[in-house]
C-alpha cells in the first residue's frame, strides 16, 4: 500500500463490474453491440435487440390483451406492466 492509496477510495460496484472489452457488430443493423457489465448480455442500442432475440418468435408465450390488462391493473396501472399494449387497449380490455 502506497502513501497516497488512502486518497483513492474504493471503486463503486459499477466501476468494478464494468465491461471494458470489445463487442461485435449487431447482426441486424451493423452498429456495435453494448455490454454494460461483465456478467450482462450484449444488446444493440440502435435497434433494441439482444443476441438471444429470435426472429422466429412464436406467439405461444405472448400475453393476450386481457391477461396483460389484469396484470397491469393489479400493479396499479404501472407503465412497466403494459407488455407492449397501449393504455387505451388495456383500459378497453378491463
Amino acid at each position: 500500500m502506497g502513501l497516497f492509496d488512502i486518497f483513492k477510495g474504493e471503486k463503486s460496484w459499477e466501476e468494478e463490474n464494468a465491461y471494458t472489452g470489445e463487442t461485435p457488430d449487431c447482426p441486424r443493423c451493423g452498429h456495435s453491440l453494448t455490454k454494460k457489465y461483465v456478467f450482462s448480455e450484449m444488446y444493440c442500442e440502435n435497434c433494441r435487440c439482444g443476441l438471444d432475440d429470435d426472429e422466429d418468435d412464436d406467439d405461444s408465450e405472448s400475453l393476450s390483451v386481457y391477461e396483460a390488462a389484469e396484470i397491469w391493473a393489479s400493479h396499479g396501472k404501472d407503465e412497466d406492466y403494459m407488455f407492449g399494449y397501449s393504455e387505451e387497449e388495456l383500459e378497453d380490455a378491463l
Side-chain angles (χ1 to χ4, degrees):
M1 182 170 180
L3 180 62
F4 295 103
D5 286 342
I6 60 172
F7 297 111
K8 288 184 181 178
E10 293 184 26
K11 287 185 176 181
S12 69
W13 183 89
E14 286 85 7
E15 292 172 328
E16 286 181 11
N17 293 301
Y19 181 77
T20 56
E22 293 184 22
T23 58
D25 292 337
C26 175
R28 290 185 185 168
C29 68
H31 284 81
S32 183
L33 293 172
T34 301
K35 182 170 180 159
K36 191 167 184 173
Y37 300 111
V38 176
F39 50 81
S40 63
E41 298 292 324
M42 290 184 219
Y43 62 94
C44 180
E45 291 183 353
N46 185 50
C47 64
R48 301 287 182 208
C49 70
L51 287 183
D52 294 335
D53 291 348
D54 291 334
E55 296 277 342
D56 306 331
D57 287 340
D58 60 71
D59 292 334
S60 64
E61 293 184 27
S62 65
L63 290 174
S64 72
V65 68
Y66 302 104
E67 293 169 327
E70 288 178 12
I71 295 169
W72 177 64
S74 71
H75 285 91
K77 297 185 178 181
D78 186 348
E79 66 182 25
D80 290 338
Y81 295 94
M82 294 177 71
F83 303 102
Y85 293 102
S86 70
E87 189 172 334
E88 292 79 26
E89 290 173 312
L90 295 171
E91 286 289 346
D92 290 344
L94 288 176

